[in-house]
Each structure stands twice: as C-alpha cells, then as structure tokens.
Amino acid sequence: MLLGVFIYLQNKKEPLNKAYLGLSLCSAIWSFGFFALLSSSTLETAYYWRWFMESGSILIPAFWLNFVLIFLNLAKKKRGILMFGYVISIALWLLNLIDFFVHGIFAIEIVKKGIFNFYPTAGIGYILFFIFFFGTVFYTLRELAKSYKTSDGIRSQQ
C-alpha cells in the first residue's frame, strides 16, 4: 500500500500511477481482510471480514487489467475490454454486498478447516470470481507476451 501511495504521489496525473494505486489499495484490503478473517474470534466477525476481504480482491483483476493496458499503451484501443472488466468487477462486488446480508452467494458457510478456525466454503460467487480472475490473468499475460516480442531496449527489460 505504501509503495502504491509513494508512486502515486510522484505524479498524481499519470494514469499508470493511478491504476497502480488502485491495485495496491485493493491488494491491501484483501490482505488485511484475510488476516482479520483468520484472526476472528466469532462467526459474526468472520462473516464481516470475509465480506471485507472480497470487497478488495474482486476489484484486483480490473485494476490489473487497467494497469497492463496503460503500460502497453493499449488503454484507448482496448477501452471496451477495460470497461467490460470493470463492469464484471462491479457486478461481482454487488453480489458480494448482497452476500453480506444474505449468506450463501460467495460463502455457503464459514467453518473450521485445518488450522483455520474460520474459512469460507465457496459458493457460486467465488466460482464466478475465479473464472473472471484467471481469465483476466490469461488475457493480460497474452498481451504482455505479444508486446514483449515486438519491443526492444529498455522497454523489453521493463
């Protein structure tokens, strides 16, 4: 999180810095929420922290997609794909919000698993998120590999 803030403060108008800040913030929310979930002492707090954790992680793929497309100078050309990524993230985030009030969409239940006192059992929301997450990873790695093949000098090292 601190690195994201530091980079953003170097040039607040730079879109790449903004995307990295968003990625850092969402990653920090996910990390803190996961730690708090595993440290929970009651089922009620475990449900809250599960929701909080996913509120950050659901947005990571959209910010990652944004970051990669800006880095590759493809953000304008691939605007439709970028918007699709944000729409899917927002839809999943709304499903997660609903799950906060009506359990079962993301986490069917939260139970003791192995060394963890509270750990979510995946529902349909997690499955949809998994598909979206790995679809985004696959797409961005493909775009990065295509760009790497045609780049040289410092750009290829980046």
Side-chain angles (χ1 to χ4, degrees):
M1 181 64 207
L2 293 176
L3 181 60
V5 170
F6 175 76
I7 288 172
Y8 172 73
L9 292 175
Q10 300 307 302
N11 185 350
K12 295 176 187 175
K13 294 181 181 182
E14 174 61 43
L16 191 64
N17 295 6
K18 291 178 185 179
Y20 189 76
L21 176 63
L23 185 60
S24 297
L25 176 62
C26 291
S27 297
I29 290 169
W30 172 78
S31 297
F32 180 74
F34 190 61
F35 173 77
L37 167 67
L38 298 179
S39 302
S40 293
S41 57
T42 68
L43 186 59
E44 292 77 26
T45 59
Y47 269 106
Y48 171 77
W49 288 115
R50 196 253 4 124
W51 170 81
F52 183 89
M53 168 184 79
E54 297 307 336
S55 293
S57 69
I58 287 169
L59 298 173
I60 290 173
F63 279 108
W64 171 249
L65 177 63
N66 193 13
F67 178 80
V68 169
L69 293 179
I70 292 169
F71 177 74
L72 297 176
N73 297 314
L74 295 173
K76 289 182 182 177
K77 182 179 177 184
K78 307 271 184 166
R79 186 171 171 82
I81 291 170
L82 182 57
M83 294 308 297
F84 178 75
Y86 276 108
V87 166
I88 296 298
S89 280
I90 290 168
L92 288 169
W93 193 91
L94 289 172
L95 280 177
N96 187 50
L97 179 62
I98 293 168
D99 190 72
F100 183 72
F101 299 103
V102 182
H103 303 309
I105 298 170
F106 265 81
I108 295 170
E109 61 184 349
I110 296 180
V111 295
K112 181 171 178 52
K113 288 188 183 174
I115 63 169
F116 305 114
N117 288 329
F118 299 105
Y119 202 86
T121 301
I124 188 69
Y126 272 120
I127 295 166
L128 294 172
F129 174 63
F130 178 83
I131 293 166
F132 173 58
F133 185 92
F134 283 99
T136 302
V137 168
F138 175 77
Y139 176 77
T140 54
L141 287 176
R142 193 183 82 196
E143 290 296 325
L144 285 163
K146 283 180 4 185
S147 178
Y148 178 73
K149 287 179 183 178
T150 60
S151 64
D152 59 0
I154 189 74
R155 186 66 173 174
S156 67
Q157 292 175 359
Q158 290 176 326

Coordinates of all heavy atoms in Angstrom, one line a residue, residues 69-142:
L69 N -3.0 -2.5 -19.6 CA -3.3 -1.9 -20.8 C -2.7 -0.5 -20.9 O -2.3 0.0 -22.0 CB -4.8 -1.8 -21.0 CG -5.5 -3.2 -21.2 CD1 -7.0 -3.0 -21.3 CD2 -4.9 -3.9 -22.4
I70 N -2.6 0.2 -19.8 CA -2.0 1.6 -19.8 C -0.5 1.4 -20.1 O 0.1 2.1 -20.9 CB -2.2 2.3 -18.5 CG1 -3.7 2.7 -18.4 CG2 -1.3 3.6 -18.4 CD1 -4.1 3.2 -17.0
F71 N 0.1 0.4 -19.4 CA 1.5 0.2 -19.5 C 1.9 -0.1 -21.0 O 2.9 0.3 -21.5 CB 2.0 -1.0 -18.6 CG 3.4 -1.3 -18.7 CD1 4.4 -0.5 -18.2 CD2 3.8 -2.5 -19.4 CE1 5.8 -0.9 -18.4 CE2 5.1 -2.9 -19.5 CZ 6.1 -2.1 -19.0
L72 N 1.0 -0.9 -21.6 CA 1.3 -1.3 -23.0 C 0.8 -0.3 -24.0 O 0.8 -0.5 -25.2 CB 0.6 -2.7 -23.3 CG 1.2 -3.8 -22.5 CD1 0.4 -5.1 -22.8 CD2 2.7 -4.0 -22.7
N73 N 0.3 0.9 -23.6 CA -0.3 1.9 -24.4 C -1.4 1.4 -25.3 O -1.6 1.7 -26.4 CB 0.8 2.5 -25.3 CG 1.9 3.2 -24.6 OD1 1.6 4.0 -23.6 ND2 3.1 2.9 -24.9
L74 N -2.3 0.5 -24.6 CA -3.4 -0.1 -25.3 C -4.7 0.3 -24.7 O -5.8 -0.1 -25.1 CB -3.3 -1.6 -25.3 CG -2.2 -2.3 -26.0 CD1 -2.1 -3.8 -25.8 CD2 -2.3 -2.0 -27.5
A75 N -4.7 1.2 -23.7 CA -5.9 1.5 -22.9 C -7.0 2.1 -23.8 O -8.2 1.8 -23.7 CB -5.6 2.4 -21.8
K76 N -6.6 3.0 -24.8 CA -7.6 3.6 -25.6 C -8.1 2.6 -26.7 O -9.3 2.5 -27.0 CB -7.1 4.8 -26.3 CG -6.9 6.0 -25.3 CD -6.3 7.2 -26.0 CE -6.1 8.3 -25.0 NZ -5.6 9.5 -25.6
K77 N -7.2 1.8 -27.2 CA -7.6 0.9 -28.2 C -8.4 -0.3 -27.7 O -9.3 -0.8 -28.3 CB -6.3 0.3 -28.8 CG -6.5 -0.7 -30.0 CD -5.2 -1.2 -30.5 CE -5.4 -2.2 -31.6 NZ -4.1 -2.8 -32.0
K78 N -8.2 -0.7 -26.5 CA -8.9 -1.8 -25.8 C -9.9 -1.3 -24.8 O -10.2 -1.9 -23.8 CB -7.9 -2.7 -25.2 CG -6.8 -3.2 -26.1 CD -7.2 -4.5 -26.8 CE -6.1 -5.0 -27.6 NZ -6.3 -6.3 -28.1
R79 N -10.4 -0.1 -25.0 CA -11.3 0.5 -24.0 C -12.5 -0.4 -23.7 O -13.0 -0.4 -22.5 CB -11.8 1.9 -24.5 CG -12.6 2.7 -23.5 CD -12.8 4.1 -24.0 NE -13.8 4.8 -23.2 CZ -13.5 5.4 -22.1 NH1 -12.3 5.4 -21.6 NH2 -14.4 6.1 -21.4
G80 N -13.1 -1.0 -24.7 CA -14.2 -1.9 -24.5 C -13.9 -3.0 -23.5 O -14.7 -3.4 -22.7
I81 N -12.7 -3.6 -23.7 CA -12.3 -4.7 -22.8 C -12.1 -4.2 -21.4 O -12.5 -4.9 -20.5 CB -11.1 -5.4 -23.4 CG1 -11.4 -6.1 -24.7 CG2 -10.4 -6.3 -22.4 CD1 -10.2 -6.7 -25.5
L82 N -11.5 -3.1 -21.3 CA -11.3 -2.5 -20.0 C -12.6 -2.2 -19.3 O -12.8 -2.5 -18.1 CB -10.5 -1.2 -20.1 CG -10.1 -0.5 -18.8 CD1 -9.4 -1.4 -17.9 CD2 -9.3 0.8 -19.1
M83 N -13.6 -1.6 -20.0 CA -14.9 -1.3 -19.4 C -15.6 -2.6 -19.0 O -16.2 -2.7 -18.0 CB -15.8 -0.5 -20.4 CG -15.2 0.9 -20.7 SD -14.9 1.8 -19.2 CE -16.5 2.0 -18.5
F84 N -15.5 -3.7 -19.9 CA -16.0 -5.0 -19.6 C -15.5 -5.5 -18.2 O -16.2 -6.0 -17.4 CB -15.8 -6.0 -20.7 CG -16.3 -7.3 -20.5 CD1 -17.6 -7.6 -20.5 CD2 -15.4 -8.4 -20.1 CE1 -18.1 -8.9 -20.3 CE2 -15.9 -9.7 -19.9 CZ -17.2 -9.9 -20.0
G85 N -14.2 -5.3 -18.1 CA -13.5 -5.8 -16.8 C -14.1 -5.1 -15.6 O -14.3 -5.7 -14.6
Y86 N -14.3 -3.7 -15.7 CA -14.8 -3.0 -14.6 C -16.3 -3.4 -14.3 O -16.7 -3.4 -13.2 CB -14.6 -1.5 -14.8 CG -13.3 -1.0 -14.4 CD1 -12.3 -0.6 -15.3 CD2 -12.9 -0.9 -13.0 CE1 -11.1 -0.2 -14.9 CE2 -11.7 -0.5 -12.6 CZ -10.7 -0.1 -13.6 OH -9.5 0.3 -13.2
V87 N -17.0 -3.6 -15.4 CA -18.5 -4.0 -15.2 C -18.6 -5.3 -14.5 O -19.4 -5.5 -13.6 CB -19.2 -4.0 -16.6 CG1 -20.5 -4.7 -16.5 CG2 -19.4 -2.5 -17.1
I88 N -17.7 -6.3 -14.9 CA -17.8 -7.6 -14.3 C -17.4 -7.4 -12.8 O -18.0 -8.0 -11.9 CB -16.8 -8.6 -15.0 CG1 -17.3 -8.9 -16.4 CG2 -16.7 -9.9 -14.2 CD1 -18.7 -9.5 -16.5
S89 N -16.3 -6.6 -12.5 CA -15.9 -6.4 -11.1 C -17.0 -5.8 -10.3 O -17.2 -6.2 -9.2 CB -14.6 -5.5 -11.1 OG -13.5 -6.3 -11.4
I90 N -17.7 -4.8 -10.9 CA -18.7 -4.1 -10.1 C -19.9 -5.1 -9.9 O -20.5 -5.1 -8.8 CB -19.2 -2.9 -10.8 CG1 -18.1 -1.8 -10.7 CG2 -20.5 -2.3 -10.2 CD1 -18.2 -0.6 -11.6
A91 N -20.2 -5.9 -10.9 CA -21.3 -6.9 -10.7 C -20.9 -7.9 -9.6 O -21.8 -8.2 -8.8 CB -21.6 -7.6 -12.0
L92 N -19.7 -8.4 -9.6 CA -19.3 -9.3 -8.6 C -19.2 -8.6 -7.2 O -19.6 -9.2 -6.2 CB -17.9 -9.9 -8.9 CG -17.9 -10.9 -10.1 CD1 -16.4 -11.2 -10.5 CD2 -18.6 -12.2 -9.7
W93 N -18.8 -7.4 -7.2 CA -18.8 -6.6 -5.9 C -20.2 -6.5 -5.4 O -20.4 -6.6 -4.2 CB -18.2 -5.2 -6.1 CG -17.8 -4.6 -4.8 CD1 -16.7 -4.7 -4.2 CD2 -18.7 -3.7 -4.1 NE1 -16.7 -3.9 -3.0 CE2 -18.0 -3.3 -2.9 CE3 -20.0 -3.3 -4.2 CZ2 -18.5 -2.5 -1.9 CZ3 -20.5 -2.5 -3.2 CH2 -19.8 -2.1 -2.1
L94 N -21.2 -6.2 -6.3 CA -22.6 -6.1 -5.8 C -23.1 -7.5 -5.3 O -23.8 -7.5 -4.3 CB -23.5 -5.6 -6.9 CG -23.3 -4.1 -7.3 CD1 -24.1 -3.8 -8.5 CD2 -23.7 -3.2 -6.1
L95 N -22.7 -8.6 -5.9 CA -23.1 -9.9 -5.4 C -22.5 -10.1 -4.0 O -23.1 -10.7 -3.1 CB -22.6 -11.0 -6.4 CG -23.4 -11.3 -7.6 CD1 -22.7 -12.4 -8.5 CD2 -24.8 -11.7 -7.2
N96 N -21.2 -9.7 -3.9 CA -20.6 -9.8 -2.6 C -21.3 -8.9 -1.5 O -21.5 -9.4 -0.4 CB -19.1 -9.3 -2.7 CG -18.3 -9.6 -1.4 OD1 -18.4 -10.7 -0.9 ND2 -17.6 -8.6 -1.0
L97 N -21.8 -7.8 -1.9 CA -22.5 -6.9 -1.0 C -23.8 -7.6 -0.6 O -24.2 -7.6 0.6 CB -22.9 -5.6 -1.6 CG -23.7 -4.6 -0.8 CD1 -22.9 -4.2 0.5 CD2 -24.0 -3.3 -1.6
I98 N -24.5 -8.2 -1.5 CA -25.8 -8.9 -1.2 C -25.4 -10.1 -0.3 O -26.2 -10.3 0.7 CB -26.4 -9.5 -2.5 CG1 -27.0 -8.3 -3.3 CG2 -27.6 -10.4 -2.2 CD1 -27.4 -8.7 -4.7
D99 N -24.3 -10.8 -0.5 CA -23.9 -11.9 0.4 C -23.7 -11.4 1.8 O -23.8 -12.2 2.7 CB -22.7 -12.6 -0.2 CG -22.3 -13.9 0.5 OD1 -23.1 -14.8 0.3 OD2 -21.4 -13.9 1.3
F100 N -23.3 -10.1 2.0 CA -23.1 -9.6 3.3 C -24.4 -9.7 4.2 O -24.4 -10.0 5.4 CB -22.7 -8.2 3.3 CG -22.4 -7.5 4.6 CD1 -21.3 -7.9 5.3 CD2 -23.2 -6.6 5.2 CE1 -21.0 -7.4 6.6 CE2 -22.9 -6.0 6.4 CZ -21.8 -6.4 7.1
F101 N -25.6 -9.5 3.5 CA -26.9 -9.6 4.1 C -27.5 -10.9 4.0 O -28.3 -11.3 4.9 CB -27.8 -8.5 3.6 CG -27.2 -7.1 3.7 CD1 -26.6 -6.4 2.7 CD2 -27.3 -6.5 5.0 CE1 -26.1 -5.2 2.8 CE2 -26.8 -5.2 5.2 CZ -26.2 -4.6 4.1
V102 N -27.3 -11.6 2.9 CA -27.9 -12.9 2.7 C -26.8 -13.9 2.4 O -26.4 -14.0 1.2 CB -29.0 -12.9 1.6 CG1 -29.6 -14.2 1.4 CG2 -30.0 -11.8 1.8
H103 N -26.3 -14.6 3.4 CA -25.2 -15.5 3.1 C -25.5 -16.6 2.2 O -26.6 -17.1 2.1 CB -24.7 -16.1 4.5 CG -24.3 -15.1 5.5 ND1 -23.5 -14.1 5.3 CD2 -24.7 -15.0 6.8 CE1 -23.4 -13.3 6.4 NE2 -24.1 -13.9 7.3
G104 N -24.5 -17.0 1.4 CA -24.7 -18.2 0.5 C -24.3 -17.9 -0.9 O -24.1 -18.9 -1.7
I105 N -24.1 -16.7 -1.3 CA -23.7 -16.4 -2.7 C -22.2 -16.6 -2.9 O -21.8 -17.3 -3.8 CB -24.1 -14.9 -3.1 CG1 -25.7 -14.8 -3.0 CG2 -23.7 -14.6 -4.5 CD1 -26.1 -13.4 -3.1
F106 N -21.4 -16.0 -2.1 CA -20.0 -16.1 -2.1 C -19.5 -17.2 -1.2 O -18.8 -18.1 -1.6 CB -19.2 -14.8 -1.8 CG -18.9 -14.0 -3.0 CD1 -19.8 -13.2 -3.6 CD2 -17.6 -14.1 -3.6 CE1 -19.5 -12.5 -4.8 CE2 -17.3 -13.4 -4.7 CZ -18.2 -12.6 -5.3
A107 N -20.0 -17.2 0.0 CA -19.6 -18.2 1.0 C -20.8 -18.9 1.5 O -21.7 -18.3 2.1 CB -18.9 -17.5 2.2
I108 N -20.9 -20.2 1.1 CA -22.0 -21.0 1.6 C -22.0 -21.1 3.1 O -23.1 -21.0 3.7 CB -21.9 -22.4 0.9 CG1 -22.1 -22.3 -0.6 CG2 -23.0 -23.4 1.5 CD1 -21.8 -23.6 -1.3
E109 N -20.9 -21.2 3.6 CA -20.7 -21.2 5.1 C -19.3 -20.9 5.4 O -18.4 -20.9 4.6 CB -21.1 -22.6 5.7 CG -20.2 -23.7 5.2 CD -20.7 -25.1 5.7 OE1 -21.5 -25.1 6.6 OE2 -20.2 -26.1 5.2
I110 N -19.0 -20.6 6.7 CA -17.7 -20.4 7.2 C -17.5 -21.4 8.3 O -18.2 -21.4 9.3 CB -17.4 -19.0 7.7 CG1 -17.6 -18.0 6.5 CG2 -16.1 -18.8 8.3 CD1 -17.4 -16.5 6.8
V111 N -16.5 -22.3 8.1 CA -16.3 -23.4 9.0 C -14.8 -23.5 9.4 O -13.9 -22.9 8.7 CB -16.8 -24.7 8.4 CG1 -18.3 -24.7 8.2 CG2 -16.1 -25.0 7.1
K112 N -14.5 -24.4 10.3 CA -13.1 -24.7 10.7 C -12.6 -25.6 9.6 O -13.2 -26.6 9.2 CB -13.1 -25.4 12.1 CG -11.7 -25.7 12.5 CD -11.6 -26.2 13.9 CE -10.2 -26.6 14.4 NZ -9.2 -25.6 14.2
K113 N -11.4 -25.2 9.1 CA -10.7 -26.1 8.1 C -9.2 -26.1 8.4 O -8.6 -25.1 8.5 CB -10.9 -25.5 6.7 CG -12.3 -25.6 6.1 CD -12.4 -25.2 4.7 CE -13.8 -25.4 4.2 NZ -14.0 -24.8 2.9
G114 N -8.8 -27.3 8.7 CA -7.3 -27.4 9.0 C -7.0 -26.6 10.3 O -7.6 -26.7 11.3
I115 N -6.0 -25.7 10.1 CA -5.5 -24.9 11.2 C -6.3 -23.6 11.4 O -6.1 -22.9 12.3 CB -4.0 -24.6 11.1 CG1 -3.8 -23.7 9.8 CG2 -3.2 -25.8 11.1 CD1 -2.4 -23.1 9.7
F116 N -7.3 -23.4 10.4 CA -8.1 -22.1 10.5 C -9.4 -22.4 11.2 O -10.1 -23.3 10.9 CB -8.3 -21.7 9.0 CG -7.1 -21.5 8.2 CD1 -6.8 -22.3 7.1 CD2 -6.1 -20.5 8.6 CE1 -5.7 -22.1 6.4 CE2 -5.0 -20.4 7.8 CZ -4.7 -21.2 6.7
N117 N -9.7 -21.5 12.2 CA -11.0 -21.6 12.9 C -12.1 -21.2 12.0 O -13.2 -21.7 12.1 CB -10.9 -20.7 14.1 CG -10.1 -21.3 15.2 OD1 -9.9 -22.5 15.3 ND2 -9.4 -20.4 16.0
F118 N -11.9 -20.2 11.1 CA -13.0 -19.8 10.2 C -12.4 -19.7 8.8 O -11.5 -18.9 8.5 CB -13.5 -18.4 10.7 CG -14.0 -18.4 12.1 CD1 -13.3 -17.8 13.1 CD2 -15.3 -18.9 12.3 CE1 -13.8 -17.8 14.4 CE2 -15.8 -18.9 13.6 CZ -15.1 -18.4 14.6
Y119 N -13.0 -20.4 7.9 CA -12.6 -20.4 6.5 C -13.9 -20.6 5.6 O -14.7 -21.5 5.9 CB -11.6 -21.5 6.2 CG -10.7 -21.2 5.0 CD1 -9.6 -20.4 5.1 CD2 -11.1 -21.7 3.8 CE1 -8.8 -20.1 4.0 CE2 -10.3 -21.4 2.7 CZ -9.2 -20.6 2.8 OH -8.4 -20.3 1.7
P120 N -14.0 -19.7 4.6 CA -15.2 -19.8 3.8 C -15.3 -21.1 2.9 O -14.3 -21.5 2.3 CB -15.2 -18.5 3.0 CG -13.8 -18.1 2.9 CD -13.2 -18.6 4.2
T121 N -16.5 -21.6 2.7 CA -16.7 -22.6 1.7 C -17.3 -21.9 0.5 O -18.3 -21.2 0.6 CB -17.8 -23.7 2.3 OG1 -17.2 -24.3 3.5 CG2 -18.0 -24.8 1.3
A122 N -16.7 -22.1 -0.6 CA -17.0 -21.4 -1.9 C -18.4 -21.6 -2.3 O -18.9 -22.8 -2.4 CB -16.0 -21.7 -3.0
G123 N -19.1 -20.5 -2.7 CA -20.4 -20.6 -3.3 C -20.2 -20.2 -4.8 O -19.1 -20.0 -5.3
I124 N -21.3 -19.9 -5.5 CA -21.3 -19.5 -6.9 C -20.5 -18.2 -7.2 O -19.8 -18.1 -8.2 CB -22.7 -19.5 -7.5 CG1 -22.7 -19.3 -9.0 CG2 -23.5 -18.3 -6.9 CD1 -22.2 -20.5 -9.8
G125 N -20.5 -17.3 -6.2 CA -19.8 -16.0 -6.4 C -18.3 -16.3 -6.5 O -17.6 -15.6 -7.3
Y126 N -17.8 -17.2 -5.7 CA -16.4 -17.5 -5.7 C -16.0 -18.1 -7.0 O -15.0 -17.9 -7.6 CB -15.9 -18.4 -4.6 CG -15.5 -17.7 -3.3 CD1 -16.2 -17.9 -2.1 CD2 -14.5 -16.8 -3.3 CE1 -15.9 -17.3 -0.9 CE2 -14.1 -16.2 -2.1 CZ -14.8 -16.4 -0.9 OH -14.4 -15.8 0.2
I127 N -16.9 -19.0 -7.5 CA -16.6 -19.7 -8.8 C -16.6 -18.6 -9.9 O -15.7 -18.7 -10.8 CB -17.7 -20.8 -9.0 CG1 -17.5 -21.8 -8.0 CG2 -17.6 -21.3 -10.4 CD1 -18.7 -22.8 -7.9
L128 N -17.6 -17.7 -10.0 CA -17.6 -16.7 -11.0 C -16.3 -15.8 -10.9 O -15.7 -15.4 -11.9 CB -18.9 -15.8 -10.9 CG -20.2 -16.6 -11.2 CD1 -21.4 -15.7 -10.8 CD2 -20.2 -17.0 -12.6
F129 N -16.0 -15.5 -9.7 CA -14.8 -14.6 -9.5 C -13.5 -15.4 -9.9 O -12.7 -14.8 -10.6 CB -14.6 -14.2 -8.0 CG -13.4 -13.5 -7.7 CD1 -13.1 -12.3 -8.3 CD2 -12.4 -14.1 -6.8 CE1 -11.9 -11.6 -8.0 CE2 -11.2 -13.4 -6.6 CZ -11.0 -12.2 -7.1
F130 N -13.4 -16.7 -9.6 CA -12.3 -17.5 -10.1 C -12.2 -17.4 -11.6 O -11.1 -17.2 -12.1 CB -12.5 -18.9 -9.6 CG -11.4 -19.9 -10.0 CD1 -10.2 -19.9 -9.3 CD2 -11.6 -20.7 -11.1 CE1 -9.2 -20.8 -9.7 CE2 -10.6 -21.5 -11.5 CZ -9.4 -21.6 -10.8
I131 N -13.3 -17.6 -12.3 CA -13.3 -17.6 -13.8 C -12.8 -16.2 -14.3 O -12.0 -16.1 -15.2 CB -14.6 -18.0 -14.3 CG1 -14.9 -19.4 -14.0 CG2 -14.7 -17.7 -15.8 CD1 -16.4 -19.8 -14.2
F132 N -13.4 -15.2 -13.7 CA -13.0 -13.8 -14.1 C -11.5 -13.5 -13.8 O -10.8 -13.0 -14.6 CB -13.9 -12.8 -13.4 CG -13.5 -11.4 -13.6 CD1 -13.5 -10.8 -14.8 CD2 -13.3 -10.6 -12.5 CE1 -13.1 -9.5 -15.0 CE2 -12.9 -9.2 -12.6 CZ -12.9 -8.7 -13.9
F133 N -11.1 -13.9 -12.6 CA -9.7 -13.6 -12.2 C -8.7 -14.3 -13.2 O -7.8 -13.6 -13.7 CB -9.5 -14.1 -10.8 CG -8.1 -13.8 -10.2 CD1 -7.9 -12.6 -9.5 CD2 -7.0 -14.6 -10.4 CE1 -6.7 -12.3 -9.0 CE2 -5.8 -14.3 -9.9 CZ -5.6 -13.2 -9.2
F134 N -8.9 -15.6 -13.4 CA -7.9 -16.3 -14.3 C -8.1 -15.9 -15.7 O -7.1 -16.0 -16.5 CB -8.0 -17.8 -14.0 CG -7.2 -18.1 -12.7 CD1 -7.9 -18.3 -11.6 CD2 -5.8 -18.1 -12.7 CE1 -7.2 -18.6 -10.4 CE2 -5.1 -18.3 -11.5 CZ -5.8 -18.6 -10.4
G135 N -9.3 -15.6 -16.1 CA -9.5 -15.0 -17.5 C -8.7 -13.8 -17.7 O -8.1 -13.6 -18.7
T136 N -8.8 -12.9 -16.7 CA -8.0 -11.6 -16.8 C -6.5 -11.9 -16.8 O -5.8 -11.3 -17.6 CB -8.4 -10.7 -15.6 OG1 -9.8 -10.5 -15.6 CG2 -7.7 -9.4 -15.7
V137 N -6.0 -12.8 -15.9 CA -4.6 -13.1 -15.9 C -4.2 -13.7 -17.2 O -3.1 -13.2 -17.8 CB -4.3 -14.1 -14.8 CG1 -2.9 -14.7 -14.9 CG2 -4.5 -13.5 -13.4
F138 N -4.9 -14.6 -17.8 CA -4.6 -15.2 -19.1 C -4.5 -14.1 -20.2 O -3.5 -14.0 -20.9 CB -5.6 -16.3 -19.5 CG -5.3 -16.9 -20.8 CD1 -4.3 -17.8 -21.0 CD2 -6.1 -16.5 -21.9 CE1 -4.1 -18.3 -22.3 CE2 -5.9 -17.0 -23.2 CZ -4.9 -17.9 -23.4
Y139 N -5.5 -13.3 -20.2 CA -5.6 -12.2 -21.2 C -4.4 -11.2 -21.1 O -3.8 -10.9 -22.1 CB -6.9 -11.5 -21.2 CG -7.0 -10.3 -22.1 CD1 -7.2 -10.5 -23.5 CD2 -6.8 -9.0 -21.7 CE1 -7.3 -9.5 -24.4 CE2 -6.8 -8.0 -22.6 CZ -7.1 -8.2 -23.9 OH -7.1 -7.1 -24.8
T140 N -4.1 -10.8 -19.9 CA -3.1 -9.8 -19.7 C -1.7 -10.4 -20.0 O -0.8 -9.7 -20.5 CB -3.1 -9.1 -18.3 OG1 -3.1 -10.2 -17.3 CG2 -4.3 -8.3 -18.2
L141 N -1.5 -11.7 -19.6 CA -0.2 -12.3 -19.9 C 0.0 -12.5 -21.4 O 1.1 -12.3 -21.9 CB -0.1 -13.7 -19.2 CG 0.1 -13.6 -17.7 CD1 0.1 -15.0 -17.1 CD2 1.4 -12.9 -17.3
R142 N -1.1 -12.8 -22.1 CA -1.0 -12.9 -23.6 C -0.7 -11.5 -24.2 O 0.2 -11.4 -25.1 CB -2.3 -13.4 -24.1 CG -2.2 -13.8 -25.6 CD -3.5 -14.2 -26.2 NE -4.2 -12.9 -26.5 CZ -5.5 -12.8 -26.7 NH1 -6.3 -13.9 -26.6 NH2 -6.0 -11.7 -27.1

